[in-house]
Amino acid sequence: MKENYNFDFDIQINPVSVNTVNSYTDDQQMKNLLDQADMLIIGFTDGYDNISNAHKQVDAIVDFIKSGKSVLFSHDTTSYINYDQDKMYAYIADKKYDGNESTAIRTENWNFKQWGLELNKVLRSIVGMDRYGITSDDKVETSAGIQTVSGLLKKGEELQSGNQISFNELIKVSGDIAYQSGNRNASYAQTQGYSNEYVNYPGYDSRVEKAQKVNDGAITQYPYVIGDEIKIAQTHGQYYQLGLEQDRDINGNKDGKSDVVVWYTLTDGYYGVSPKDVRNNYYFYSKGNVIYTGAGHSGVSDDEEIQLFINAITAAANVTAVEPKVSFVKSLNPGAETENVKYYMTDRATWSSPADTNIVNNGMRFYINIKDYNMVSADLNQADLDKQEITMQFFIEKEDGEVQDGSVTNSRLHDITREIQNIKEYGGTSEGINVSDDRMFHTKKSNTFEFTVTEENLEKYLKDSQNNGYKNSCRIYAKISSTVYLYNKPNTRTVWTSVDLKQRQLFDLD
């Protein structure tokens, strides 16, 4: 027997190799490729090949992120390499080894001399892997004039607060400073911010197969609920510390909160010495519409790691919003059971005139439960948070109504939102929520809500005009829209739900 499935997404994947991207010969080709995509997934492998920026391939990825689209990148897409070693070794051979370049190059036939170089130079700051801002294009005022943070730090000089620059001003844009030990007025010249693992790597076996949760949100709960500790394919940490103090999203907004949210860290072995070290031992984190996973060092086969990756794709596809879950329920309680059918009582089986009031329910109360799993509020700046909302509209089947887009029904519906006037919410004030000028109810949060439809209003929709009786079935629909903003760009998801109204007649008990 053929089974029918309903899917939230129609995913079409266009795999493109790094060799293809690196073969582009003009600046428009990468832009054209990304213009066709809603999401970019980079990886998965151990020692990912360098993506060239000769024709602005990496710059196009930055523009893609800044447009509000999502990027999911993985293990070893970045590296510890920050200069072109081909050029550097040639320089060393010429200056120090009398032109014998083979003497200067490492003897183990190192093949990754440009591994991750362009991503490291351009992408690190925007994805949160730049604790001190050495790849940041943000500008600061120095004794030598206005400079970028990157230009200032790449000079490789010790900085003195008050002489070359105000450390207070620098930290506002960089997030952190590599202070010299015991001296908050001077910085070290080395500001790459390498992770503890990379600095300490010799002598350590840092490969592990477990990760532990440090934060919880929709990205760990939707569509799969992921455990507090999960088994993962063998992997290891990455090369840069996260910029946890940075409060400057990709378009320059500030909200007083860190932009990076770490969801899982590596655990056991080397990482067990410093458990839940989110700065150094991250396995899974997000920064707005950018998500990182540590998967990729080896083949992934464990269920929860696969499910977490699916959650990551889902969150990235939704940018910062997932489709709300909505249903009619039996009472004003978030834990109430779902209600698919609601009965109304009539005094008589028929009505004699259109003016008859024959329904005796004394106003029918309906309850609707809304669960809106926004990815994580910490990913958004405050201006975006202030604008996110849920709207509610209500409809009933009526012959002269209109077919509503997205309602998953061919029935004609009439808008009864105005006739409801007021909605009460679980745990809310007695005043409730009033319908606004745009014929909608507005709220900022998930909850269970109660609304009442009077007998007079129900009569005109439930009467069957052809036989002076009542309709066998008449559905009330709720249209719920959830809108969140990412970098001032709205993302709205709309769902419909319904409850069936059926007649029950009062009987004389003689």
Side-chain angles (χ1 to χ4, degrees):
M1 182 176 71
K2 183 177 179 180
E3 296 186 65
N4 294 320
Y5 297 94
N6 292 320
F7 296 97
D8 291 333
F9 301 102
D10 176 15
I11 299 176
Q12 299 178 16
I13 300 173
N14 177 25
V16 180
S17 70
V18 175
N19 287 339
T20 298
V21 170
N22 289 348
S23 71
Y24 291 159
T25 56
D26 68 68
D27 296 357
Q28 191 64 32
Q29 287 174 280
M30 187 68 171
K31 183 179 184 303
N32 291 342
L33 174 69
L34 294 179
D35 282 347
Q36 304 170 33
D38 297 310
M39 182 196 316
L40 174 63
I41 299 177
I42 307 175
F44 293 68
T45 190
D46 187 32
Y48 193 73
D49 288 345
N50 181 54
I51 298 176
S52 171
N53 201 29
H55 290 284
K56 299 188 180 301
Q57 291 97 322
V58 180
D59 290 338
I61 295 174
V62 174
D63 291 340
F64 184 85
I65 296 171
K66 287 186 175 182
S67 73
K69 293 184 178 180
S70 299
V71 168
L72 195 158
F73 73 110
S74 62
H75 170 91
D76 275 5
T77 49
T78 58
S79 71
Y80 50 78
I81 296 171
N82 289 290
Y83 57 87
D84 189 334
Q85 295 189 33
D86 275 333
K87 296 177 181 178
M88 182 59 72
Y89 285 133
Y91 172 82
I92 293 173
D94 182 54
K95 299 298 182 184
K96 301 294 183 181
Y97 292 89
D98 301 323
N100 186 358
E101 187 172 342
S102 62
T103 307
I105 296 177
R106 294 171 63 173
T107 58
E108 65 267 31
N109 191 24
W110 185 246
N111 293 320
F112 291 154
K113 289 182 289 183
Q114 290 187 329
W115 165 34
L117 176 62
E118 297 300 336
L119 289 179
N120 292 345
K121 289 165 58 178
V122 179
L123 202 64
R124 273 177 53 201
S125 180
I126 203 170
V127 302
M129 285 186 173
D130 189 359
R131 177 176 180 179
Y132 301 115
I134 198 168
T135 64
S136 171
D137 290 332
D138 289 320
K139 293 181 173 60
V140 289
E141 185 176 353
T142 72
S143 58
I146 301 296
Q147 299 183 57
T148 64
V149 176
S150 177
L152 177 67
L153 299 182
K154 283 180 179 178
K155 293 178 181 179
E157 300 174 351
E158 295 179 1
L159 297 178
Q160 299 292 324
S161 181
N163 295 330
Q164 293 137 301
I165 187 173
S166 164
F167 276 14
N168 288 335
E169 294 304 314
L170 177 59
I171 206 167
K172 286 180 181 178
V173 291
S174 67
D176 205 353
I177 293 173
Y179 295 108
Q180 290 188 17
S181 179
N183 186 359
R184 305 285 285 187
N185 293 311
S187 74
Y188 286 111
Q190 170 56 271
T191 52
Q192 289 292 346
Y194 288 116
S195 66
N196 290 351
E197 177 188 354
Y198 177 60
V199 173
N200 296 322
Y201 187 81
Y204 288 95
D205 181 3
S206 60
R207 299 179 183 182
V208 292
E209 297 181 354
K210 284 184 181 179
Q212 61 185 156
K213 185 188 293 181
V214 291
N215 278 300
D216 214 357
I219 201 168
T220 63
Q221 298 174 2
Y222 180 85
Y224 296 103
V225 177
I226 312 298
D228 291 340
E229 185 171 286
I230 63 173
K231 189 177 186 304
I232 59 175
Q234 187 181 80
T235 190
H236 59 80
Q238 294 294 276
Y239 309 97
Y240 301 105
Q241 295 182 330
L242 296 183
L244 299 175
E245 292 82 4
Q246 291 170 355
D247 174 23
R248 200 173 184 86
D249 67 35
I250 60 176
N251 288 326
N253 295 315
K254 297 171 70 70
D255 64 356
K257 299 178 181 179
S258 170
D259 298 324
V260 174
V261 180
V262 178
W263 303 99
Y264 281 86
T265 57
L266 298 171
T267 189
D268 280 0
Y270 166 79
Y271 308 102
V273 177
S274 179
K276 296 189 177 180
D277 182 347
V278 294
R279 189 186 295 283
N280 293 281
N281 301 341
Y282 50 88
Y283 167 77
F284 194 92
Y285 77 85
S286 62
K287 183 188 178 195
N289 51 328
V290 175
I291 296 174
Y292 166 81
T293 173
H297 177 81
S298 52
V300 175
S301 60
D302 297 298
D303 288 346
E304 283 197 297
E305 188 170 26
I306 294 171
Q307 290 170 355
L308 183 59
F309 178 64
I310 293 172
N311 281 13
I313 293 178
T314 303
N318 286 294
V319 186
T320 51
V322 294
E323 192 173 84
K325 299 297 182 183
V326 182
S327 60
F328 279 92
V329 293
K330 295 183 177 181
S331 66
L332 186 61
N333 189 313
E337 295 181 11
T338 300
E339 184 169 53
N340 297 314
V341 177
K342 196 171 187 70
Y343 292 95
Y344 65 94
M345 299 290 187
T346 59
D347 191 18
R348 301 178 303 277
T350 60
W351 48 276
S352 57
S353 73
D356 273 357
T357 302
N358 193 22
I359 295 177
V360 295
N361 284 54
N362 192 28
M364 290 191 68
R365 291 185 177 86
F366 297 85
Y367 308 96
I368 187 166
N369 186 26
I370 302 174
K371 296 179 180 178
D372 188 16
Y373 297 108
N374 286 328
M375 188 173 120
V376 59
S377 61
D379 290 346
L380 308 175
N381 63 64
Q382 192 58 47
D384 290 342
L385 284 171
D386 291 340
K387 290 183 291 187
Q388 69 182 44
E389 69 170 359
I390 298 170
T391 61
M392 295 174 272
Q393 289 177 274
F394 300 95
F395 300 81
I396 195 167
E397 291 179 330
K398 192 171 186 293
E399 290 82 358
D400 59 355
E402 298 179 356
V403 176
Q404 301 291 322
D405 289 341
S407 58
V408 198
T409 175
N410 292 323
S411 301
R412 293 183 176 275
L413 305 180
H414 176 72
D415 191 337
I416 60 170
T417 310
R418 283 283 191 188
E419 298 174 21
I420 293 169
Q421 292 297 322
N422 181 272
I423 284 182
K424 294 180 180 180
E425 59 180 320
Y426 176 80
T429 62
S430 58
E431 290 81 7
I433 305 171
N434 295 315
V435 67
S436 60
D437 291 339
D438 58 3
R439 302 175 66 92
M440 298 180 187
F441 292 98
H442 294 256
T443 183
K444 292 283 187 181
K445 58 185 178 181
S446 303
N447 209 340
T448 304
F449 301 88
E450 173 192 305
F451 65 94
T452 301
V453 182
T454 64
E455 302 93 318
E456 292 81 0
N457 286 328
L458 280 176
E459 288 277 358
K460 59 187 177 185
Y461 299 118
L462 299 179
K463 288 177 177 177
D464 184 350
S465 58
Q466 295 182 351
N467 57 22
N468 287 357
Y470 286 85
K471 298 176 181 176
N472 292 327
S473 177
C474 181
R475 302 191 77 87
I476 285 184
Y477 288 81
K479 177 184 179 182
I480 309 300
S481 295
S482 171
T483 300
V484 296
Y485 285 73
L486 179 64
Y487 311 123
N488 208 34
K489 184 177 181 180
N491 186 306
T492 300
R493 297 299 171 108
T494 298
V495 295
W496 289 76
T497 190
S498 64
V499 62
D500 195 8
L501 300 181
K502 292 185 178 294
Q503 180 194 19
R504 277 183 177 173
Q505 185 186 346
L506 292 180
F507 296 95
D508 293 330
L509 299 178
D510 294 335

